[in-house]
Amino acid sequence: MYRSHNCGELRMSNEGQVVQLSGWVQKSRDLGGMTFVDLRDRYGITQLVFNMDDNEELCEKARKLGREFVVHAEGKVSERSNKNPNRPTGNIEIIVSKLEVLNAAKTPPFTIEEETDGGDDLRMKYRYLDIRRDAVKNNIIFRSKLALETRKYLDSQDFVEVETPFLIKSTPEGARDFVVPSRLNPGQFYALPQSPQTFKQILMVGGMDKYFQIVKCFRDEDLRADRQPEFTQIDCEMSFVTIDDILNTFEGLTKHLFKHTLDVDLPDFPRMDYDEALKRFGSDKPDLRFGMEFQELNDLAQNKGFSVFDSSELVVGICAEGIADSYSNKDMKKLTEWMQRPQIGAKGLVYVKFLQDGSIKSTVGKFFDDDTLRTWGEKFGAKPGDVLFILSGEAEKTRKQLNELRLEMGRRLGLMKDGDFKPLWVIDFPLLEWDEESERFHAMHHPFTSPKKEDVDRMLNGDHETMKSLKADAYDLVINGAEIGGGSIRIHDRELQSKNFDLLGFSKEEAEEQFGFLMGAFEYGAPPHGGIAFGFDRLCAVMNGQSSIRDFIAFPKNNQGRDMMIDAPSPVDQTQLDDLNLKLGEIETAE
Ligand code: ASP
């Protein structure tokens, strides 16, 4: 027998019992006459004790245990004299009578503790050691619980979990596809799905009514810190639904998940138009844990002799509370430089300080008298001690820049509190996005998204400019400034779908070649339908107040898209290539 109990479960009520434990050596301390060993498994840590006076041989054996040795111990549960209140098993220890080394271990390349000294790549290379750390282990357990609760809730709402294929034809959702050569069809390739979008729509045509799947999706994108080439979605689709039906169902799912994993009761989610979100926060995923809303100052700040403002499409600012007296000129200079970095690209940063003593200090004090500056302050509800930060320029760009500043000030002022969750639905996205560079429209969500009912006519008959103003039945779920989910009501009509492909620059033949199956299906009684997909990894991270999804993925890839543990991707044998009828030309490798 390896174990009668796990390393997290023994308490004073077990005192006197002879138990069997197995696990890993977290730490051992040799105090001369006594040796203490912390034995760890998934469930916790239990202290083992070896006493020189009782059993010298056993004690010698215990002294030789190294970190991460796998051992089995038998012994008696006894009350500890030196209790550890920070550990659930901290009141007891095991007086060991038998010790067996099940497997020795090399010294691990980083410490297996809450705070580790291992760098990212090292931790990924030895992921099995990293998974032994509480921080990673608990995330993976949380993820499992979240998936289970997702299934429970969706099952309770009559959703059916359906698996869709991984070897498919590409779905254009904005990213590059990973492709897989087909041996049986020389010269042809499958694509790995960026999402099961077309399949779930086909399932609706198939009358499945409510579908979900917790599913891997693959996108060959340049990897930013918080992206993974393969990631997981809670993917869903429903028939005969309006936007309200979908938002209510998935607000229900989100509330259920928070309640049953974190014991957090979320209030009803506010809904905000895309246009309004941009105007008030400069972002389509505003972090609502704090205010600091934008105020537009065109009417109060233009035509008063300051040419920079006068020539700007938009003059807009935020009010940061309580820093007027503590932010020095140097601090302001640094902040301005931070805004001028190429990543943000602001030309400058105007500020107005309302100091505690009632005086006003501003970078534009030469151009505006105090009374005028006070009217600005009133617009923001600024109090003594507050600072207005003002940007001006082209509207869209300026809002984006101010959004960065708002988030930065939110961080600096500690306004993004852990454990505070502020969900919202952003709705009424534009249908199409005009790309100046390529001179073509892109789908803001994806090509299957329906325009709002009232815009269908304008879409079918309008001119080029009209297309820029079409609104979609599309929505995003945002929590604490992170996009958690997105979806839309779909087009279910062949003619409208074809018009959309046309607008997106597909020729008739291309559309037919790539999506003939879907448009064909629309001719056989497609119900009105819509859906949503949640980013499952992101949801895990946000619920735990963490910014990186990596630690919620058991085996993540690094920023170069490499799996450091198995060392993938890697070259393949010539025979494998021959089988696939692939000939490699000159290849430029990363080195
Ligand atoms: N397939 C979409 C995505 O991956 C989600 C949806 O529209 O349901 O973003």
Side-chain angles (χ1 to χ4, degrees), residues 9-17 77-80 83 88-93:
E9 73 175 305
L10 293 168
R11 302 284 185 273
M12 273 306 288
S13 56
N14 301 99
E15 199 189 5
Q17 287 176 12
V77 182
S78 81
E79 181 170 6
R80 249 165 100 159
K83 299 198 170 49
T89 62
N91 287 344
I92 57 100
E93 61 194 1

mmCIF file of all heavy atoms in Angstrom, residues 9-17 77-80 83 88-93:
data_model
loop_
_atom_site.group_PDB
_atom_site.id
_atom_site.type_symbol
_atom_site.label_atom_id
_atom_site.label_comp_id
_atom_site.label_asym_id
_atom_site.label_seq_id
_atom_site.Cartn_x
_atom_site.Cartn_y
_atom_site.Cartn_z
ATOM 1 N N GLU A 9 -4.467 15.847 4.533
ATOM 2 C CA GLU A 9 -5.724 15.572 5.226
ATOM 3 C C GLU A 9 -5.639 15.205 6.707
ATOM 4 O O GLU A 9 -6.671 15.180 7.375
ATOM 5 C CB GLU A 9 -6.531 14.505 4.450
ATOM 6 C CG GLU A 9 -6.003 13.092 4.532
ATOM 7 C CD GLU A 9 -6.953 12.109 3.819
ATOM 8 O OE1 GLU A 9 -8.150 12.072 4.142
ATOM 9 O OE2 GLU A 9 -6.458 11.392 2.927
ATOM 10 N N LEU A 10 -4.462 14.952 7.213
ATOM 11 C CA LEU A 10 -4.418 14.505 8.614
ATOM 12 C C LEU A 10 -4.573 15.674 9.591
ATOM 13 O O LEU A 10 -4.020 16.756 9.387
ATOM 14 C CB LEU A 10 -3.117 13.743 8.873
ATOM 15 C CG LEU A 10 -3.042 12.407 8.111
ATOM 16 C CD1 LEU A 10 -1.631 11.829 8.165
ATOM 17 C CD2 LEU A 10 -4.056 11.405 8.669
ATOM 18 N N ARG A 11 -5.344 15.418 10.662
ATOM 19 C CA ARG A 11 -5.624 16.447 11.670
ATOM 20 C C ARG A 11 -5.438 15.833 13.058
ATOM 21 O O ARG A 11 -5.191 14.636 13.191
ATOM 22 C CB ARG A 11 -7.090 16.930 11.551
ATOM 23 C CG ARG A 11 -7.477 17.493 10.200
ATOM 24 C CD ARG A 11 -6.911 18.910 9.997
ATOM 25 N NE ARG A 11 -7.387 19.494 8.740
ATOM 26 C CZ ARG A 11 -6.797 19.318 7.558
ATOM 27 N NH1 ARG A 11 -5.712 18.570 7.450
ATOM 28 N NH2 ARG A 11 -7.282 19.899 6.481
ATOM 29 N N MET A 12 -5.685 16.639 14.087
ATOM 30 C CA MET A 12 -5.585 16.135 15.464
ATOM 31 C C MET A 12 -6.510 14.942 15.704
ATOM 32 O O MET A 12 -6.228 14.063 16.521
ATOM 33 C CB MET A 12 -5.922 17.258 16.454
ATOM 34 C CG MET A 12 -4.731 18.127 16.839
ATOM 35 S SD MET A 12 -3.345 17.172 17.462
ATOM 36 C CE MET A 12 -4.028 16.691 19.064
ATOM 37 N N SER A 13 -7.627 14.916 14.982
ATOM 38 C CA SER A 13 -8.568 13.807 15.178
ATOM 39 C C SER A 13 -7.974 12.467 14.722
ATOM 40 O O SER A 13 -8.514 11.413 15.034
ATOM 41 C CB SER A 13 -9.863 14.078 14.416
ATOM 42 O OG SER A 13 -9.561 14.303 13.062
ATOM 43 N N ASN A 14 -6.870 12.518 13.992
ATOM 44 C CA ASN A 14 -6.211 11.272 13.552
ATOM 45 C C ASN A 14 -5.097 10.854 14.515
ATOM 46 O O ASN A 14 -4.398 9.856 14.280
ATOM 47 C CB ASN A 14 -5.603 11.443 12.155
ATOM 48 C CG ASN A 14 -6.626 11.816 11.116
ATOM 49 O OD1 ASN A 14 -6.764 12.992 10.768
ATOM 50 N ND2 ASN A 14 -7.375 10.832 10.648
ATOM 51 N N GLU A 15 -4.915 11.619 15.577
ATOM 52 C CA GLU A 15 -3.811 11.364 16.494
ATOM 53 C C GLU A 15 -3.808 9.900 16.936
ATOM 54 O O GLU A 15 -4.855 9.312 17.219
ATOM 55 C CB GLU A 15 -3.929 12.261 17.745
ATOM 56 C CG GLU A 15 -2.623 12.380 18.491
ATOM 57 C CD GLU A 15 -2.799 13.084 19.843
ATOM 58 O OE1 GLU A 15 -3.939 13.395 20.225
ATOM 59 O OE2 GLU A 15 -1.769 13.295 20.508
ATOM 60 N N GLY A 16 -2.614 9.307 16.909
ATOM 61 C CA GLY A 16 -2.490 7.918 17.359
ATOM 62 C C GLY A 16 -2.607 6.895 16.237
ATOM 63 O O GLY A 16 -2.162 5.756 16.379
ATOM 64 N N GLN A 17 -3.173 7.302 15.106
ATOM 65 C CA GLN A 17 -3.312 6.344 13.988
ATOM 66 C C GLN A 17 -1.969 6.089 13.312
ATOM 67 O O GLN A 17 -1.133 6.988 13.222
ATOM 68 C CB GLN A 17 -4.271 6.900 12.925
ATOM 69 C CG GLN A 17 -5.715 6.891 13.327
ATOM 70 C CD GLN A 17 -6.597 7.546 12.265
ATOM 71 O OE1 GLN A 17 -6.178 7.813 11.142
ATOM 72 N NE2 GLN A 17 -7.826 7.806 12.655
ATOM 73 N N VAL A 77 0.564 9.246 13.755
ATOM 74 C CA VAL A 77 0.179 10.664 13.814
ATOM 75 C C VAL A 77 0.299 11.128 15.255
ATOM 76 O O VAL A 77 -0.239 10.489 16.159
ATOM 77 C CB VAL A 77 -1.283 10.848 13.347
ATOM 78 C CG1 VAL A 77 -1.663 12.322 13.367
ATOM 79 C CG2 VAL A 77 -1.486 10.240 11.956
ATOM 80 N N SER A 78 1.051 12.226 15.457
ATOM 81 C CA SER A 78 1.112 12.710 16.835
ATOM 82 C C SER A 78 1.054 14.238 16.875
ATOM 83 O O SER A 78 1.308 14.918 15.872
ATOM 84 C CB SER A 78 2.372 12.175 17.520
ATOM 85 O OG SER A 78 3.464 12.951 17.161
ATOM 86 N N GLU A 79 0.678 14.762 17.997
ATOM 87 C CA GLU A 79 0.519 16.213 18.132
ATOM 88 C C GLU A 79 1.885 16.888 18.069
ATOM 89 O O GLU A 79 2.856 16.401 18.628
ATOM 90 C CB GLU A 79 -0.170 16.539 19.465
ATOM 91 C CG GLU A 79 -0.386 18.033 19.650
ATOM 92 C CD GLU A 79 -1.274 18.375 20.844
ATOM 93 O OE1 GLU A 79 -1.637 17.447 21.597
ATOM 94 O OE2 GLU A 79 -1.586 19.561 21.003
ATOM 95 N N ARG A 80 1.935 17.999 17.354
ATOM 96 C CA ARG A 80 3.196 18.719 17.255
ATOM 97 C C ARG A 80 3.370 19.641 18.439
ATOM 98 O O ARG A 80 2.389 20.277 18.865
ATOM 99 C CB ARG A 80 3.138 19.595 15.995
ATOM 100 C CG ARG A 80 4.067 19.143 14.914
ATOM 101 C CD ARG A 80 3.698 19.804 13.629
ATOM 102 N NE ARG A 80 4.583 20.944 13.369
ATOM 103 C CZ ARG A 80 4.763 21.461 12.165
ATOM 104 N NH1 ARG A 80 4.111 20.961 11.128
ATOM 105 N NH2 ARG A 80 5.571 22.466 11.984
ATOM 106 N N LYS A 83 3.542 24.049 16.684
ATOM 107 C CA LYS A 83 2.488 23.997 15.665
ATOM 108 C C LYS A 83 2.683 25.060 14.573
ATOM 109 O O LYS A 83 3.260 26.108 14.819
ATOM 110 C CB LYS A 83 1.120 24.170 16.322
ATOM 111 C CG LYS A 83 0.808 23.071 17.338
ATOM 112 C CD LYS A 83 -0.667 22.999 17.634
ATOM 113 C CE LYS A 83 -1.050 21.784 18.445
ATOM 114 N NZ LYS A 83 -0.249 21.520 19.661
ATOM 115 N N PRO A 88 -2.875 23.574 7.048
ATOM 116 C CA PRO A 88 -4.005 22.788 7.562
ATOM 117 C C PRO A 88 -3.561 21.560 8.375
ATOM 118 O O PRO A 88 -4.241 21.155 9.303
ATOM 119 C CB PRO A 88 -4.751 22.344 6.307
ATOM 120 C CG PRO A 88 -4.361 23.327 5.259
ATOM 121 C CD PRO A 88 -2.978 23.793 5.592
ATOM 122 N N THR A 89 -2.411 20.989 8.036
ATOM 123 C CA THR A 89 -1.924 19.821 8.787
ATOM 124 C C THR A 89 -0.955 20.245 9.891
ATOM 125 O O THR A 89 -0.255 19.401 10.468
ATOM 126 C CB THR A 89 -1.157 18.855 7.857
ATOM 127 O OG1 THR A 89 -0.018 19.563 7.347
ATOM 128 C CG2 THR A 89 -2.006 18.354 6.701
ATOM 129 N N GLY A 90 -0.919 21.556 10.176
ATOM 130 C CA GLY A 90 0.130 22.106 11.040
ATOM 131 C C GLY A 90 0.075 21.714 12.506
ATOM 132 O O GLY A 90 1.006 22.017 13.253
ATOM 133 N N ASN A 91 -0.997 21.063 12.919
ATOM 134 C CA ASN A 91 -1.060 20.656 14.324
ATOM 135 C C ASN A 91 -0.459 19.286 14.578
ATOM 136 O O ASN A 91 -0.249 18.901 15.715
ATOM 137 C CB ASN A 91 -2.518 20.627 14.815
ATOM 138 C CG ASN A 91 -3.054 22.035 14.984
ATOM 139 O OD1 ASN A 91 -2.283 22.989 15.030
ATOM 140 N ND2 ASN A 91 -4.365 22.164 15.057
ATOM 141 N N ILE A 92 -0.214 18.537 13.505
ATOM 142 C CA ILE A 92 0.269 17.156 13.696
ATOM 143 C C ILE A 92 1.583 16.928 12.958
ATOM 144 O O ILE A 92 2.016 17.746 12.141
ATOM 145 C CB ILE A 92 -0.764 16.115 13.198
ATOM 146 C CG1 ILE A 92 -1.105 16.365 11.712
ATOM 147 C CG2 ILE A 92 -2.036 16.152 14.031
ATOM 148 C CD1 ILE A 92 -0.423 15.496 10.750
ATOM 149 N N GLU A 93 2.216 15.816 13.288
ATOM 150 C CA GLU A 93 3.368 15.345 12.509
ATOM 151 C C GLU A 93 3.335 13.823 12.549
ATOM 152 O O GLU A 93 2.571 13.220 13.309
ATOM 153 C CB GLU A 93 4.674 15.887 13.086
ATOM 154 C CG GLU A 93 4.940 15.452 14.516
ATOM 155 C CD GLU A 93 6.054 16.265 15.173
ATOM 156 O OE1 GLU A 93 6.606 17.169 14.533
ATOM 157 O OE2 GLU A 93 6.358 15.987 16.346
#
